[in-house]
Amino acid sequence: MPATFTKSTLLLSLLLGLTQFQAQAATAPSPAALATRLGIPNPAVIAHRGASFDAPESTAAAYKTARDLGADYLELDLQRSKDGVLFALHDNNLQRTTDVATKFPERKDSPANAFTMAELKTLDAGSWFNTAYPDRARPSFAGLKILTLDEIIDIAQGNPLHQPGLYIETKEPKQFPGIEHDLKMKLQDRGWLSPAGSKLGKSELAVGQGKGKVVLQTFEKSSLELLQKEMPKVPKILLLWVGEGNIEPASKVAFAESGEKDKAAYYAKQQPKDKAEFHRWVDYAKAQGAIGTGPSAALTKGGDQSYADLVQPWMNQYTHDQGMLVHVYTVDDAVDYQKVMDAGVDGIFTNRAAELLKFYKRPAAASVGQVLQNNGY
Ligand code: G3P
Ligand code: CA
């Protein structure tokens, strides 16, 4: 084949590709327009396990504090007890955040789903926080309980002045066959699956009353597909990270062999295998009906919630070009709020809702201490 033909063919292909890319970008709604259409605040304040910097995660103290500070969403990790009750807990077992080792020593390593709700309710889910964070400890945190989804819904509905939405993650969903259906039934029973276009869809309503009142999130492809099947009209986010079962890393060197001083340093160096691998995950999420992605962030201070930087500007741009939103997890410091906003994200999961609200110039009317006190803590 003559060289000139090859060159012109190449040029034509490049031009065609560019035109297609521009057309796609031009037809995608802006993130702000998309968020408005979905009833999702932009930027969104997502209280990660409640106000979990200030009170024991996933307890009434954390969720009531996040609600009364004015967070847009209460984030929770959904699990199901042995007797079928939906409840919120992040870890697979109860060791880190409860006194299971004292109350059920022979079962302390068992997964949380091996316990009935009555058993879970005997546990103290607050005292660990006082030990771990003495500077934020309060006697009233001792004895706080694990919460059912019903109880978190009650909390979300409990302040007439501000009703946040719920941002629900199906946690390790393969352990809980059918949890997507159970969740749908519960949300339906509680009136949290209002059809789009009903009077509850008006954008001027609080997020907890509008059409973006529930956002569903998962790391698992299979769960995203089931959530879409069960609740096609509810906004969904595919969570992203670099590692097994999710985005393939550029380097396969394990942490133990990496020579890095801690996991945060190790994760910070992780990258998707290539751009196409990142694109594949975003494309998959879109094809399954997700309205956005929830990527990890590398935090300036490191720590155990610092992962690979998946909110680089080119990544957010690509996601936006597909007409999707980006909600990054889990960011707590102003320097990182600024960094991820500059990179183009549309909302942030944070353990420090009060700080993020301040950063977004929507400061809470009362301090964290006052809010805790007002709620009896
Ligand atoms: O759900 C977003 C974020 O919470 C994911 O991380 O492990 O805290 O659930 P994790
Ligand atoms: Ca979560």
Side-chain angles (χ1 to χ4, degrees):
M1 193 181 294
T4 48
F5 180 81
T6 310
K7 270 187 196 156
S8 48
T9 307
L10 185 64
L11 189 61
L12 187 63
S13 315
L14 280 171
L15 280 172
L16 273 174
L18 190 61
T19 310
Q20 274 169 359
F21 174 78
Q22 283 169 331
Q24 190 169 30
T27 52
S30 71
L34 176 62
T36 301
R37 178 161 67 71
L38 295 166
I40 295 174
N42 187 295
V45 175
I46 304 157
H48 185 244
R49 310 178 203 167
S52 56
F53 178 87
D54 302 298
E57 66 186 61
S58 311
T59 65
Y63 286 124
K64 287 180 183 174
T65 302
R67 175 196 67 191
D68 294 351
L69 287 167
D72 297 315
Y73 288 101
L74 309 182
E75 193 264 355
L76 64 114
D77 303 291
L78 192 71
Q79 302 200 34
R80 189 173 60 202
S81 67
K82 188 177 174 186
D83 52 340
V85 181
L86 298 178
F87 68 97
L89 184 78
H90 176 268
D91 295 4
N92 193 42
N93 70 42
L94 297 150
Q95 291 244 46
R96 180 178 63 90
T97 58
T98 78
D99 59 348
V100 67
T102 310
K103 300 247 172 70
F104 299 95
E106 73 291 354
R107 295 164 68 196
K108 64 181 169 44
D109 298 315
S110 300
N113 64 22
F115 292 76
T116 64
M117 184 45 60
E119 288 171 334
L120 292 171
K121 281 290 188 185
T122 66
L123 300 174
D124 173 353
S127 290
W128 72 272
F129 181 93
N130 289 347
T131 306
Y133 308 110
D135 52 325
R136 288 170 248 156
R138 289 176 181 249
S140 54
F141 289 161
L144 284 169
K145 301 294 178 199
I146 284 175
L147 296 179
T148 65
L149 176 59
D150 259 323
E151 290 168 327
I152 298 172
I153 291 174
D154 290 341
I155 290 171
Q157 295 174 337
N159 177 352
L161 299 177
H162 177 68
Q163 287 154 36
L166 296 174
Y167 209 117
I168 305 174
E169 177 182 353
T170 49
K171 181 60 75 183
E172 300 293 341
K174 286 179 181 155
Q175 286 186 36
F176 304 104
I179 197 167
E180 295 83 3
H181 180 73
D182 294 351
L183 175 59
K184 172 194 169 174
M185 298 313 287
K186 176 56 68 185
L187 292 172
Q188 199 163 275
D189 284 353
R190 296 297 306 262
W192 276 66
L193 288 185
S194 311
S198 76
K199 66 185 171 63
L200 291 178
K202 289 182 184 169
S203 60
E204 68 268 24
L205 290 173
V207 65
Q209 297 168 297
K211 59 190 165 188
K213 67 204 292 186
V214 179
V215 180
L216 304 171
Q217 42 154 348
T218 184
F219 281 104
E220 290 281 342
K221 286 179 167 181
S222 57
S223 192
L224 177 63
E225 291 168 24
L226 289 168
L227 290 170
Q228 178 66 0
K229 183 166 157 257
E230 295 287 345
M231 294 170 272
K233 291 184 180 165
V234 178
K236 279 157 227 85
I237 291 278
L238 181 64
L239 298 168
L240 301 178
W241 78 301
V242 175
E244 200 181 333
N246 211 275
I247 295 176
E248 193 179 329
S251 160
K252 296 271 169 56
V253 177
F255 168 62
E257 281 80 52
S258 67
E260 295 296 344
K261 65 180 188 331
D262 57 35
K263 284 218 167 161
Y266 170 73
Y267 287 133
K269 292 197 175 148
Q270 283 194 316
Q271 289 283 324
K273 188 175 73 165
D274 51 29
K275 283 194 174 181
E277 171 67 357
F278 182 83
H279 293 171
R280 266 193 293 279
W281 279 81
V282 176
D283 295 348
Y284 168 82
K286 182 171 180 173
Q288 298 307 322
I291 57 89
T293 60
S296 61
L299 307 177
T300 303
K301 280 189 196 158
D304 62 4
Q305 292 183 15
S306 185
Y307 301 102
D309 178 3
L310 292 179
V311 287
Q312 296 162 51
W314 70 265
M315 297 171 165
N316 299 331
Q317 187 62 55
Y318 182 78
T319 309
H320 287 157
D321 288 344
Q322 311 317 308
M324 299 168 80
L325 300 175
V326 180
H327 290 166
V328 62
Y329 69 90
T330 301
V331 183
D332 284 351
D333 292 321
V335 62
D336 292 323
Y337 295 151
Q338 190 66 56
K339 193 172 149 202
V340 298
M341 288 307 294
D342 288 346
V345 307
D346 308 299
I348 298 178
F349 292 77
T350 185
N351 302 304
R352 306 192 71 173
E355 294 304 309
L356 183 55
L357 287 161
K358 219 183 292 169
F359 176 81
Y360 284 152
K361 311 230 178 318
R362 296 165 48 193
S367 68
V368 169
Q370 284 164 335
V371 171
L372 280 164
Q373 206 175 341
N374 293 345
N375 281 300
Y377 299 107

